[in-house]
Amino acid sequence: MASDNLPSEFDVVILGTGLTESIIASACSRVGQKVLHIDRRNYYSSKWAGFNFNSLLSWIEEYKSQQGSQSTEDEAEWRKTLEDGEEVLPLSADDSFITNLEVSCYASLEAEEEVKENEEATETLSPAAPSPTEPEEETKGKGEGESSPDVTQETTTSGETQHTQEDGGCGVQEEGASQDAGQSEEIEQKEQQEDTTAGPPSSAKEVKKKKITYADLVKEGRRFNIDLVSKLIYSRGSLVDLLIQSKVSRYTEFKIVTRILTYRQGRVEQVPCSRADVFASKQLTMVEKRMLMKFLTFCLDFEQHPEEYQEVSDQPFWEFLQTKKLTENLQHFVLHSIAMVTKETCTEDGLKATQHFLRCLGRYGNTPFLFPLYGLGEIPQCFCRMSAVFGGIYCLRHSVQCLVVDKETNGCKAVIDTQGQRISCSHFVVEDSFVRQRWKNTEEGHISRAVLITDRSVLPADSDQQISLLTAPPLEPGGPAVHVVELCSSSMTCMPGTFLVHLTCSSKGTAREDLESLIAQMFYVPPSPGEELAEGDERSGRPTVMWAMYFNMLDISRMDGSNGFDLPSNVHVCTGPDVNLGCDYSVKLAEKIFRQLLPEEEFCPPAPDPEDIIYEGVAPQGEGSGFEENPKTEGSPLQSEADGLENHPESEKEAAEVEAPIQETPKEALKEDASPSEE
């Protein structure tokens, strides 16, 4: 909306479009409040934003250009709008929630030279590669086709397609099986001769595979969606409950995180979570499997057995695990990959974290986590969309210069925007970065972040379409644990043939200082752009980093809401995001602020379905209209996405029995999950 057309009076004015602010805007608009939602940035989601690769490069340049610049604010203009008994409270014009930003490119910068080198390598191998039954020119043509961008995209979009191509020889043998036995034997003999003369087929395939350059990243930049904040969504967390309750889930879709990984003794291993995973695991002995199942069963209802933990509830969780006689292998899995806590965490908190993890299993898949398609930055926009549907007014590239405060009541009466317009409001909700100078405490926390674009997964599998969560324990005593989220192209966050890796931890120093050592152990970082490893190097099996970004993000989530700021009573500050993996903090803070604004109203009530809306002069549609919808497809995209995934059971009850039978799911929850259309 054009800024010069803004009304002069609102119930609630919200500055910032992050997750917490967007939830509040949606909740207020839904109950009939008049909401103005603005942001000084030219994009939605604020700190939670996601960018495609080209937009991210532009955002980085803009960030660097703003460093050290100060805005000139004419306070005399503000004074003209003041009345007797009023004073102004300026807001911060410094939008520096990001610090220590560093960007490095390791992909080849010379695209044409790389293509020529690949073609020369293909020509060198082609004389030995042809089958005796195929002419040399035809084989060379196939090699060139494999290195073309179109074929590369097709082969990496689906794990099944790539698997078929890798085992392409099997398809030829199956077709030949219908011929007589003599001809089959001849084909097998020719293939054996080909194998002995052409060498290992995998090495030839690696040379033929098109190498991704920096020019390719820029060209396919719109395929990337890179989030500033890296989080996952617990399937039984507060955000999923809110999405279903408010029916905001209809605006987006989700993917299931397919596997949980851990980094131990220099190796990446998959963590068994459900009963099926535990007993199918080859990493655990039979004794360890029984020990782990017994402990996880205890954690599900540990409150029913207080005699086993109350005496040590204040002691470290790590010591409690040792008293349970778990092996070091099991202790590592439980502490770092299931509970995802530190060794210093108290026993009761560790048991609660383990219980929450286990209760989230089986609702939508074999892991507790979901990830939104196109990135986490979509979630705030979904709530903004719901707010706009119910009358919320949005204006980007627009901000608030100062608050108008009544001296007697110490309440905010109005705000003055960047156009000099005075806008009256009953409540003002603001992102924390706009009021940093009003913070009572001088200590600031930070989050260390790294974003990598790599060429392969940290743990290759039959299918490349894996969304993985890896928790790396501290490399040094007292260091932070690192959450690593690896995204594939099917999550709509990166181009085919690449993986997008997010690393997050609490800051001890700069982001590069905190994360560079772990990255060097898990990935291959070329010393110069495009440099490849020598044959036989022990790092040859690691993913190669093609592009990296490090930065620190401000974290003041430990502040007690608005009580930690020297602000008027009806000004509410939204802090965060926090360093935790889930989004529960932001959702709970949004509900807390909404209760302060409108204590008697329902928080995010369900939005009506389009078919339930009755317009004036239009009679409701009667039964037997012939347009009945399938109730299975009528539910929220959250449910539909889960139902459409591979190997997903047809019902919640079946999922609980197959994937997590150690959990007794309440009948009410089963009924709720199995009937998304009733939500």
Side-chain angles (χ1 to χ4, degrees):
M1 179 176 180
S3 58
D4 53 355
N5 295 330
L6 289 177
S8 60
E9 186 175 352
F10 289 89
D11 295 319
V12 183
V13 175
I14 302 175
L15 178 58
T17 53
L19 179 59
T20 305
E21 303 93 282
S22 300
I23 294 175
I24 296 173
S26 175
C28 292
S29 297
R30 180 66 186 87
V31 297
Q33 295 291 298
K34 193 175 181 181
V35 176
L36 172 63
H37 200 177
I38 59 179
D39 199 327
R40 72 162 60 138
R41 308 170 183 93
N42 60 356
Y43 53 86
Y44 284 96
S45 303
S46 298
K47 298 179 182 179
W48 300 73
F51 302 92
N52 63 50
F53 189 71
N54 300 323
S55 298
L56 181 62
L57 297 179
S58 301
W59 178 83
I60 293 172
E61 293 300 324
E62 182 180 355
Y63 165 82
K64 292 180 178 180
S65 64
Q66 291 178 353
Q67 294 299 302
S69 62
Q70 298 181 354
S71 60
T72 57
E73 298 172 346
D74 190 1
E75 188 172 348
E77 295 294 329
W78 304 346
R79 301 293 179 184
K80 296 179 181 179
T81 62
L82 295 182
E83 300 176 357
D84 294 338
E86 296 178 347
E87 60 180 358
V88 294
L89 184 64
L91 297 184
S92 174
D94 182 18
D95 187 18
S96 58
F97 65 92
I98 297 292
T99 57
N100 304 318
L101 177 62
E102 301 180 46
V103 178
S104 301
C105 178
Y106 303 102
S108 175
L109 302 178
E110 301 294 335
E112 295 181 359
E113 293 182 6
E114 293 295 336
V115 172
K116 291 180 180 179
E117 290 177 4
N118 289 338
E119 291 177 352
E120 292 175 0
T122 304
E123 293 174 359
T124 303
L125 289 174
S126 58
S131 171
T133 59
E134 293 181 354
E136 180 177 350
E137 294 181 358
E138 183 179 352
T139 306
K140 185 183 298 184
K142 291 184 179 180
E144 294 174 357
E146 289 179 359
S147 62
S148 64
D150 295 337
V151 176
T152 302
Q153 293 175 10
E154 292 177 0
T155 58
T156 55
T157 300
S158 171
E160 297 179 357
T161 306
Q162 185 173 1
H163 182 69
T164 303
Q165 290 187 355
E166 290 177 356
D167 299 335
C170 298
V172 176
Q173 292 176 4
E174 291 175 358
E175 293 177 359
S178 61
Q179 301 175 1
D180 58 283
Q183 187 174 357
S184 300
E185 292 178 358
E186 292 179 2
I187 294 176
E188 292 178 359
Q189 292 176 359
K190 292 178 180 179
E191 288 179 350
Q192 292 176 359
Q193 294 176 1
E194 179 182 353
D195 292 340
T196 57
T197 56
S202 59
S203 60
K205 189 175 298 182
E206 290 178 0
V207 177
K208 293 180 181 179
K209 181 179 178 181
K210 183 179 183 297
K211 185 176 181 179
I212 298 176
T213 65
Y214 182 74
D216 296 326
L217 298 180
V218 175
K219 181 180 179 181
E220 302 291 335
R222 294 182 64 86
R223 292 177 177 263
F224 289 90
N225 284 285
I226 303 174
D227 292 319
L228 297 180
V229 176
S230 176
K231 289 183 178 292
L232 298 176
I233 303 174
Y234 281 94
S235 61
R236 293 192 185 275
S238 56
L239 181 55
V240 166
D241 294 340
L242 181 62
L243 288 168
I244 296 175
Q245 168 192 322
S246 62
K247 297 189 177 180
V248 173
S249 58
R250 69 180 66 173
Y251 295 127
T252 188
E253 294 180 325
F254 300 83
K255 283 284 187 182
I256 296 174
V257 175
T258 54
R259 56 185 183 175
I260 307 296
L261 309 177
T262 188
Y263 186 70
R264 183 169 179 261
Q265 298 177 351
R267 295 181 302 171
V268 177
E269 301 176 357
Q270 186 164 350
V271 178
C273 301
S274 65
R275 179 186 292 268
D277 288 343
V278 170
F279 286 103
S281 175
K282 298 180 180 179
Q283 309 168 47
L284 306 178
T285 65
M286 185 57 64
V287 175
E288 286 181 320
K289 293 177 181 180
R290 295 187 180 277
M291 294 171 60
L292 180 59
M293 288 304 306
K294 181 179 178 181
F295 179 76
L296 295 181
T297 304
F298 159 74
C299 291
L300 271 174
D301 57 352
F302 72 93
E303 297 94 344
Q304 307 299 325
H305 308 281
E307 69 281 357
E308 295 194 27
Y309 74 93
Q310 277 191 345
E311 295 182 358
V312 294
S313 60
D314 296 331
Q315 296 181 5
F317 188 49
W318 176 254
E319 297 180 3
F320 176 76
L321 294 177
Q322 294 174 337
T323 63
K324 289 296 183 180
K325 299 181 181 180
L326 299 177
T327 63
E328 292 184 3
N329 201 23
L330 297 181
Q331 292 176 24
H332 178 90
F333 285 164
V334 172
L335 184 72
H336 297 296
S337 300
I338 296 179
M340 290 181 284
V341 295
T342 63
K343 291 184 177 181
E344 294 75 20
T345 303
C346 68
T347 297
E348 188 171 358
D349 291 342
L351 290 173
K352 289 180 179 179
T354 305
Q355 183 187 65
H356 181 52
F357 182 97
L358 296 174
R359 286 182 173 176
C360 292
L361 288 173
R363 185 175 190 182
Y364 297 112
N366 204 28
T367 70
F369 302 104
L370 300 173
F371 182 79
L373 287 180
Y374 302 99
L376 191 66
E378 293 293 306
I379 302 299
Q381 296 185 55
C382 293
F383 284 99
C384 290
R385 191 173 294 114
M386 177 64 77
S387 176
V389 167
F390 289 95
I393 296 179
Y394 282 81
C395 190
L396 298 179
R397 297 180 293 276
H398 202 76
S399 187
V400 171
Q401 298 185 80
C402 65
L403 310 180
V404 179
V405 181
D406 190 304
K407 294 181 180 179
E408 294 183 1
T409 62
N410 191 31
C412 177
K413 297 176 59 177
V415 299
I416 299 177
D417 65 7
T418 49
Q419 304 297 324
Q421 179 181 358
R422 176 175 173 138
I423 302 174
S424 301
C425 62
S426 301
H427 295 278
F428 180 63
V429 180
V430 59
E431 177 190 311
D432 55 18
S433 61
F434 292 93
V435 290
R436 285 183 60 188
Q437 78 280 11
R438 311 300 301 183
W439 192 8
K440 294 179 181 178
N441 197 338
T442 57
E443 297 182 0
E444 294 184 353
H446 289 85
I447 301 172
S448 292
R449 291 273 292 111
V451 181
L452 312 177
I453 299 176
T454 64
D455 65 342
R456 72 186 76 174
S457 174
V458 293
L459 185 63
D462 293 338
S463 172
D464 282 345
Q465 301 308 308
Q466 302 280 351
I467 301 178
S468 308
L469 167 64
L470 183 149
T471 302
L475 298 180
E476 299 178 356
V482 181
H483 292 306
V484 182
V485 177
E486 183 184 70
L487 305 173
C488 60
S489 59
S490 64
S491 66
M492 304 302 177
T493 57
C494 59
M495 63 178 283
T498 65
F499 287 83
L500 187 65
V501 183
H502 292 273
L503 296 93
T504 308
C505 70
S506 298
S507 296
K508 298 295 183 180
T510 65
R512 182 178 285 274
E513 294 171 350
D514 292 338
L515 300 172
E516 191 172 34
S517 57
L518 177 63
I519 292 174
Q521 292 186 21
M522 293 183 59
F523 303 88
Y524 168 61
V525 183
S528 61
E531 184 172 339
E532 298 182 355
L533 284 170
E535 294 184 4
D537 194 299
E538 60 179 6
R539 298 170 295 175
S540 59
R542 302 178 187 175
T544 299
V545 178
M546 295 183 286
W547 186 85
M549 178 175 68
Y550 299 88
F551 62 91
N552 291 96
M553 178 175 288
L554 181 67
D555 176 21
I556 56 175
S557 57
R558 63 178 181 272
M559 293 290 296
D560 185 17
S562 301
N563 296 330
F565 295 85
D566 184 16
L567 292 168
S569 57
N570 61 339
V571 175
H572 310 273
V573 181
C574 298
T575 57
D578 62 339
V579 72
N580 293 326
L581 183 63
C583 304
D584 290 351
Y585 171 81
S586 297
V587 176
K588 292 178 180 178
L589 178 60
E591 184 174 3
K592 177 182 176 182
I593 294 176
F594 178 81
R595 300 298 182 196
Q596 296 173 355
L597 300 178
L598 304 165
E600 298 180 358
E601 296 288 349
E602 182 182 0
F603 178 63
C604 287
D609 293 322
E611 59 270 17
D612 296 335
I613 300 176
I614 300 177
Y615 299 95
E616 295 183 3
V618 180
Q621 189 175 4
E623 296 182 359
S625 59
F627 295 96
E628 296 180 357
E629 296 183 359
N630 187 350
K632 292 183 179 180
T633 61
E634 190 178 355
S636 67
L638 185 64
Q639 299 286 349
S640 300
E641 175 66 15
D643 294 338
L645 290 170
E646 296 180 2
N647 301 327
H648 180 71
E650 296 179 358
S651 65
E652 174 71 12
K653 182 177 181 180
E654 183 179 351
E657 293 176 352
V658 175
E659 302 296 346
I662 59 177
Q663 174 184 350
E664 295 181 1
T665 308
K667 294 182 179 180
E668 293 79 7
L670 294 177
K671 181 179 179 181
E672 176 184 347
D673 295 338
S675 303
S677 60
E678 295 178 4
E679 309 217 18

